[in-house]
Structure formats: C-alpha cells, structure tokens
Amino acid sequence: MSDLIPRYVAGQFHAPTGSALFEHHNPSDAGDVVSRFSPATAAEVSEAVAAASAAAPGWRATTGPARADALYKWGEAIAARSEVLAQAITREVGKPIGEARGEVGRAVVICRYYAGEAVRESGEVIPSQAPEALQFTMRDPLGPVALVTPWNFPLAIPLWKAAPALAFGNTVLLKPSEHAAAMAYALAECAAAAGLPAGVFNVLPGDGATGEALLRHEGVRGISFTGSQAVGARVAAIGAERNVRAQTEMGGKNVVIVAADGDLDRAALLTAAGAMRYAGQKCTATSRVVVERRVLEPFLDRLRTAMAALPLGPADDPACAIGPMITAAARDRVRDALAAHPAERLAGEALPDDPRFAAGNWFAPQLLRLDSPQHPLALRELFGPVLGLLVAEDLDEAIALANATPFGLSASLFTRDLGSAMQYLRRIQVGLVRVNGDTTGVDPHAPFGGLKGSSSGSREQGRAARDFYTDTRTIQIHA
C-alpha cells in the first residue's frame, strides 16, 4: 500500500494534512508495508468532533427501527467482503487466517445483535406516589463518543463498541491502534457502503497525541478504551477530570486451575490453545496455569504434547495456529522480560531452522515453571506466547495463587466435582468465570469485563452496553 490512509469524517474520505508519517509492516514479513498514515492533527480532531456533533441530533431523533436497519446493512456490507477482510486482518496484525475468518463472522453477528437492541424497550413505567400521575424513565444517548481501540481484534473490538453506541443513538469517533489503521479504513468503507448517515461514524487514524486531543475535546461526551493498564489509567483520569463517562478495559493475567479430579486431556488442550494461539496476543489469553501437585506430571506430559501440536508459521498458512507477534518491539519486550527474570523452561525450544522465519516477528512458545506467585512473570502481562506454571497442594491454595495478581479478567477451573466448582465460583476474583473451558473469548451478547486492574468496573457488550451508552431520565406527568 503506497497511498496514505485517509480520515473518514462526515461521510467522506479526506486526505491527511499532517506531515508526520507512521508505517506498519506485515508481522509475518517485515518487508511488506501494510499501511502508511499521517496521524490526525488536533485541528482534524476538532473537525471530526464538529461533524459528529452536527450529526448527533438527527441520529438521536432517528427511530429505533431505522437505526436497526442501518446496523443490519453494515453487517451485510461486512459479510459481503468477508474473505477480503479476513485476509486483510491476517496481513495487518498477523492473526492466523482461521481466526481472522472467525473474527469477521463475529463482526457480522455483532451488527445483527445490536440491530435487534436498537428496537428494544428504552425505559420502564414506575408507580407514582402522586394520584393520577404517570411516572416513567427514558434512556437518552450521551452524544458524540470517542472509541480508542487496540490492534489485536481490529474489526471486532471497534464494532463491539461502535455498534451499541450507534444502536442507542450516539455518534462515534473511532481512533484505532496505529497497527490497525488499514482495517479501520476498511470498516469505514463498509459503513459508507451501508449508507450510514454522514457524521454518524467517523475514523481518525492517529497516535497518542491524536487520542489525547480526542479524549480532551469538549464535544466528546463519553469514552470507551481497550488497551494497556498504564494508558487506561490515563484515560480514566481524563474522563474524571472532564466529568464524562469513561470505560476502560485493560487486560489480564488469566489463569487456568487444574484440579486433581479434572479432565487432564481437555485441560491440556484448552490451556495450550488459550495460551499460544495468536501468539498469546489476546486480553483473555491464558498466561498462568495452577496445577494440583498430585497430577502435575501427567498433566505436564499432556500439555507438552498439546503445545507441540499447535503449528507456528506465517499467518496466511491455513495450518497456522500461533503466528508472529505484532511488532519486533513487542517480541523484544517479551524476550527481554524472560531474560531479566529467569525461570525453569518446561517446554518450548528455539525457532525452527526454516526460511519462513527469516523475516517477521517470531517468538517460539514457552512454558515456564514459576517458583512463586510473586515472580515478575506471574504478575506482568507479557502479551506473548508464554505460559507460567505454578504448583498447588490443594484447591484452596490453587484459588489463592490464582487470585494473587493485580488483574482479574478471566479464569477457568477444570474439575469434575460440583462442590469444588461452587467453592471456586464464590472465591475467584475475575469478571469472566469459566468451568471446564478455556479463558479466551465471550459471546457478543454477554457482558464483558474484569475486576481489579482489568477494568474500570463497567461492562461492554450485551444489555450492559445500554447502561454505558445512555443516560436515564425520570419523568412524571400529572393529569
């Protein structure tokens, strides 16, 4: 791609005006330039906010069925380009092609789901103490909302924020990751093909300065962010300072607990997949496994076998399960962390001697035994194909080890005992609680979010999204 990626503002694609240049390369092949763009300037941010503000009254007044129709058509425009979009995801962010196709399918489902939400009830009747009075609530959109999204789900995450925002009558300003600008452009093309009204959905490729200008703009009335804990804390501070609603999703240090009575075959397969697929670059990826000592050796045998069965290779290879890391800097950050905090390696070798790995951001999967829950690799989110193993004497200790982290996004327990499952359900400190499943993903109609340092406390997706993207007014009418 030689042309600079444009902005999408007020229903039109606009050439950038800034002089700075950002270039992103194919994670599987560093010589392949995927996208080039000039970050949106503060002036361009203001123009986009003005467009979203101008479109807000008309979109708010649009009926629920009409908004539903627009969202459904957006989904259909994505479905019509499904293979092109999947290939583009794979090239831009290194997601294995099978998972990329799944992400496109999920994007379509998200649009269809929120098309349905747009026509649900928007308030409730409440009995009044006053005779002959009608009292009820109404939900109103916030107005223009800023969405700051990561690269690892370049289609699904922007949509699971934008679709509910639009369904409930808000207008949207999307600032995608620098490493996912091409997919944001493709999403804007689909929005245009679907006929979304001008100014309702706007895209601003940019960097941290672009995001800062957007979040601080007085015309922005709500903020939804997914990314690192450090940036999320800054986003939350800006929201508090401006007294606007802010939602932050900030990752995790997700854990699998393998009880002595668990299905070891299933636990090993799902732990390996949850930790290593897409090179561990999911906020719900499994990064720790806590195993009861009685089954440590048989579980390790199965886990090594399951890891070895996951192919590492170029993301466009249909057999690929792991793929490259997003950038060389991300790969080096994981490598440096492992060098700085040594741990016993239980599985994982050097990269294969294969010409396919001559270029690209490759890192071989690693299984490490950690001697303490306070080991830095047990606390720090690495965002790579690295799994830390801890050993517990019993379930009580296993749950304590699982909770010994500043994060609280996702966890799973493998057990055949209902009593153990109930004890775990009551005590585990995460927002996504699984039994006999992996830690990754969530249905698009279910609330998504974590506890502790993983989330700001609000939830995304499902009916919970309505609570974030709307304000409630209480109305009383007297005869």
Side-chain angles (χ1 to χ4, degrees), residues 336-345 368-371 375-377:
D336 292 347
L338 269 57
H341 307 289
E344 178 187 0
R345 183 188 295 176
L368 306 174
R369 179 159 182 171
L370 307 180
D371 55 13
H375 192 289
L377 300 182

Side-chain angles (χ1 to χ4, degrees), residues 59-74 109-123 139-141 162-170 196 200 462-463 465-466 469-470:
W59 186 245
R60 172 176 175 159
T62 300
T63 65
R67 293 200 298 267
D69 184 60
L71 286 170
Y72 191 86
K73 288 178 178 176
W74 201 8
V109 169
I110 289 169
C111 288
R112 291 173 178 170
Y113 172 78
Y114 284 107
E117 288 296 285
V119 295
R120 285 188 182 271
E121 68 281 0
S122 61
R139 287 187 173 271
D140 300 314
L166 296 177
F168 303 127
N170 302 276
L196 284 178
V200 165
R463 300 302 303 276
R466 182 186 67 172
Y469 287 110
T470 60

Side-chain angles (χ1 to χ4, degrees), residues 256 266-267 270-271 286 411-414 434-440:
V256 161
R266 180 178 176 84
L270 293 182
T271 299
T286 307
S412 184
L413 167 68
F414 287 86
R434 311 287 173 78
V435 177
N436 296 326
D438 63 30
T439 64
T440 62

Side-chain angles (χ1 to χ4, degrees), residues 319-468:
C320 171
I322 298 174
M325 296 188 66
I326 183 66
T327 63
R331 175 201 61 203
D332 294 346
R333 187 165 55 248
V334 174
R335 179 182 297 163
D336 292 347
L338 269 57
H341 307 289
E344 178 187 0
R345 183 188 295 176
L346 298 174
E349 304 299 332
L351 289 171
D353 184 13
D354 187 318
R356 296 183 303 166
F357 302 111
N361 311 318
W362 303 102
F363 190 85
Q366 304 286 312
L367 172 63
L368 306 174
R369 179 159 182 171
L370 307 180
D371 55 13
S372 164
Q374 297 308 307
H375 192 289
L377 300 182
L379 299 174
R380 175 179 170 183
E381 185 182 36
L382 296 175
F383 226 62
V386 178
L387 178 63
L389 181 141
L390 295 159
V391 181
E393 298 302 326
D394 53 26
L395 181 63
D396 187 69
E397 183 184 8
I399 295 173
L401 290 172
N403 285 335
T405 168
F407 294 100
L409 183 55
S410 184
S412 184
L413 167 68
F414 287 86
T415 183
R416 292 185 174 93
D417 183 72
L418 182 58
S420 295
M422 294 305 295
Q423 179 186 354
Y424 154 83
L425 293 177
R426 287 191 296 268
R427 293 178 52 197
I428 195 70
Q429 297 169 2
V430 298
L432 304 174
V433 184
R434 311 287 173 78
V435 177
N436 296 326
D438 63 30
T439 64
T440 62
V442 68
D443 289 342
H445 51 276
F448 178 89
L451 308 179
K452 300 192 287 189
S454 289
S455 297
S456 60
S458 62
R459 291 291 178 265
E460 295 193 277
Q461 301 193 136
R463 300 302 303 276
R466 182 186 67 172
D467 296 334
F468 178 77

